[in-house]
Amino acid sequence: MHTLPSYLDPQHLGPWGIYLQQIDRVTPYLGSLTRWVETLKRPKRALVVDVPIALDNGTIAHFEGYRVQHNMSRGPGKGGVRFHQDVTLPEVMALSAWMSIKNAAVNVPFGGAKGGIRVDPRTLSQAELERLTRRYTSEIGIIIGPTKDIPAPDVNTNEKVMAWMMDTYATNIGETATGVVTGKPISVGGSLGRREATGRGVFTIGTEAARRTGLSIAGARIAVQGFGNVGSVAARLFSEAGAHIVAIQDHTGSVANDKGLDMAALQAHVAAEGGVKGFKSAQDISSSDFWSTKCDILIPAALEGQITQDNAGLIQAQMVIEGANGPTTPEADDILKDKGVLVVPDVIANAGGVTVSYFEWVQDFSSFFWSEEEINERLVSIMKKAFASIWDTAQQHKVSLRTATYIVACTRILTARDLRGLYP
Ligand code: NAD
């Protein structure tokens, strides 16, 4: 028996170790497919690239870039690209594996992939950022493509970065290739509804979970961490459905209003001031007061590792809907379970973004674009169907929604693996 590299060891602390523990937890439910489970514990392919760029001052800087294709049994790789100073290979491996699970959970025909560059993009000018993006795209160009692996935005990457990636790839192969990335601007093959899709998915799944537990959204009290793309859209949709958004936290601070915050006014305040802190029609509160807000639903929609053993005990919500990726540590998950808090996991709650990315990819292939109404209708229908099968699986096996999502997703991935067989 050979020893595993430390990051393939389930005891290794960090996102990849957490992912491996999640796979161990689901293994007893996989029946004869257990034969294939080892496939899920290793990425299919991991590419590490050097990304050299000329800085504006004429010197050359080198950055480390990654693209990991975790599993492609169900279709091409799909997952975002992150620019962050803390990006590491094991982190990208975990993020790519979670994409395999997420894509299978909503049953879109993709495998899982993820990419990133270890860089603090705030230290670069726009021109440097463009050179970095284009060189990275060229370097990973040997493994990406509309039928191979399709990147998308993630932390610190956006529509503009996707336009550069698409242009670089298309220029290199000498063809139009809008389907090589999703999350593009509308005018170069992007999809209507993509920007709001993740928040809309969080709202849809939250509403479905509430209905099944007898909680009425009208009048429900909701606290949201993160008021960016995901948090602000989810908060607005819940508020429009009659819920009271009683507290919000972002990187500038936490604000609360017991009668409910005015979403349009808060959005205007954030646009002007860069954060929620100091919003007039609210009280500024401490971070621990935010976590202990008396509410029905708590939506972490900022970063990973936010609900930990230090603050999980403070939470008073009946339900946590994970808008962010990996916001709850395994220790906090256990504390919430003991308190009877229902946790709706990221791999289903925030899958609305990749679902509309799938629509964008389909529209790019057919060069025929759908209305926003069609997009939203199809999004809601896919999310509701996916959640129903996860809910039923949780009831049937008496397991958490997280384990149930893994049962549904891993069964789909490994069934595909089993049917395809091994080559040679
Ligand atoms: P964003 O950059 O638009 O917003 C992030 C928000 O989090 C901001 O309001 C910021 O102030 C807040 N924040 C940052 N640091 C914080 C801190 N230390 N404490 C409290 N708040 C803090 O990002 P986003 O696109 O909304 O993504 C949020 C999360 O959702 C991430 O985990 C991301 O991976 C996940 N996600 C996003 C999408 C998508 O389509 N955008 C899809 C799936 C998952």
Side-chain angles (χ1 to χ4, degrees):
M1 188 67 186
H2 57 279
T3 41
L4 293 169
S6 67
Y7 57 79
L8 289 180
D9 178 349
Q11 300 314 319
H12 175 81
L13 292 179
W16 181 252
I18 291 174
Y19 164 74
L20 291 179
Q21 287 177 18
Q22 289 164 340
I23 294 301
D24 286 344
R25 223 169 255 197
V26 73
T27 302
Y29 302 96
L30 296 177
S32 61
L33 292 170
T34 305
R35 176 169 177 249
W36 293 105
V37 80
E38 195 65 22
T39 347
L40 296 171
K41 296 187 180 179
R42 298 152 190 276
K44 174 184 171 61
R45 186 179 287 133
L47 180 64
V48 181
V49 294
D50 174 37
V51 189
I53 60 160
L55 297 179
D56 293 345
N57 66 11
T59 58
I60 307 295
H62 290 257
F63 299 93
E64 191 157 284
Y66 314 93
R67 185 72 189 172
V68 177
Q69 296 169 340
H70 172 258
N71 190 286
M72 318 245 270
S73 297
R74 302 180 62 258
K78 183 94 194 77
V81 172
R82 175 174 294 198
F83 290 173
H84 196 276
Q85 60 277 14
D86 297 335
V87 166
T88 60
L89 178 60
E91 182 195 42
V92 180
M93 284 164 52
L95 291 166
S96 72
W98 285 324
M99 287 310 299
S100 299
I101 302 296
K102 194 181 297 186
N103 293 334
V106 279
N107 213 4
V108 293
F110 291 130
K114 201 88 178 190
I117 305 180
R118 192 170 171 80
V119 59
D120 181 354
R122 289 168 306 183
T123 63
L124 299 182
S125 68
Q126 274 298 102
E128 289 167 340
L129 192 66
E130 178 172 354
R131 290 199 285 278
L132 182 83
T133 304
R134 287 186 183 276
R135 182 64 192 239
Y136 168 71
T137 308
S138 252
E139 293 297 336
I140 65 164
I142 50 175
I143 62 166
I144 63 168
T147 58
K148 292 160 88 178
D149 179 3
I150 305 113
D154 190 66
V155 176
N156 293 331
T157 57
N158 55 20
E159 290 186 358
K160 182 78 206 149
V161 171
M162 292 306 113
W164 291 330
M165 288 191 75
M166 185 271 279
D167 183 70
T168 306
Y169 179 83
T171 304
N172 282 348
I173 64 162
E175 282 176 29
T176 297
T178 48
V180 67
V181 291
T182 59
K184 299 179 293 294
I186 305 281
S187 49
V188 289
S191 177
L192 292 169
R194 173 63 185 88
R195 206 174 290 161
E196 296 209 330
T198 307
R200 190 172 295 279
V202 169
F203 170 70
T204 304
I205 295 294
T207 306
E208 288 296 293
R211 187 168 63 75
R212 284 175 169 79
T213 54
L215 172 68
S216 160
I217 294 295
R221 294 167 59 85
I222 301 186
V224 184
Q225 187 201 32
F227 201 64
N229 179 293
V230 179
S232 71
V233 173
R236 175 170 60 76
L237 293 174
F238 276 114
S239 168
E240 284 169 7
H244 303 299
I245 311 300
V246 291
I248 294 200
Q249 179 180 88
D250 74 1
H251 70 286
T252 63
S254 309
V255 293
N257 182 332
D258 208 46
K259 296 201 173 64
L261 296 153
D262 177 338
M263 287 297 104
L266 182 59
Q267 191 81 63
H269 173 86
V270 170
E273 306 295 330
V276 298
K277 193 171 179 203
F279 179 49
K280 270 205 208 90
S281 330
Q283 259 176 283
D284 282 311
I285 58 169
S286 68
S287 185
S288 66
D289 283 348
F290 170 80
W291 292 111
S292 50
T293 300
K294 209 170 160 296
C295 61
D296 301 298
I297 302 177
L298 171 68
I299 305 176
L303 303 170
E304 52 251 53
Q306 293 299 298
I307 304 180
T308 65
Q309 54 194 346
D310 297 333
N311 61 1
L314 299 175
I315 291 172
Q316 300 205 41
Q318 297 176 36
M319 197 186 289
V320 171
I321 305 168
E322 295 184 338
N325 283 315
T328 314
T329 65
E331 300 80 21
D333 227 353
D334 290 342
I335 295 171
L336 293 175
K337 186 169 167 242
D338 291 346
K339 285 169 62 110
V341 180
L342 182 72
V343 177
V344 185
D346 48 4
V347 276
I348 180 65
N350 70 28
V354 78
T355 303
V356 175
S357 273
Y358 163 55
F359 299 159
E360 180 175 334
W361 180 74
V362 169
Q363 293 169 84
D364 286 337
F365 266 117
S366 57
S367 294
F368 180 77
F369 291 85
W370 312 345
S371 71
E372 190 156 0
E373 210 176 20
E374 283 171 288
I375 304 268
N376 290 344
E377 240 171 59
R378 285 177 165 140
L379 168 65
V380 169
S381 147
I382 286 183
M383 300 287 293
K384 280 188 174 175
K385 194 168 164 205
F387 187 69
S389 93
I390 289 164
W391 184 271
D392 292 348
T393 303
Q395 302 287 311
Q396 187 194 336
H397 294 290
K398 300 194 170 33
V399 292
S400 68
L401 287 174
R402 197 182 306 280
T403 300
T405 309
Y406 275 70
I407 294 176
V408 169
C410 294
T411 301
R412 285 190 181 132
I413 298 167
L414 297 182
T415 298
R417 176 73 279 165
D418 190 43
L419 289 168
R420 291 174 72 145
L422 277 186
Y423 171 84

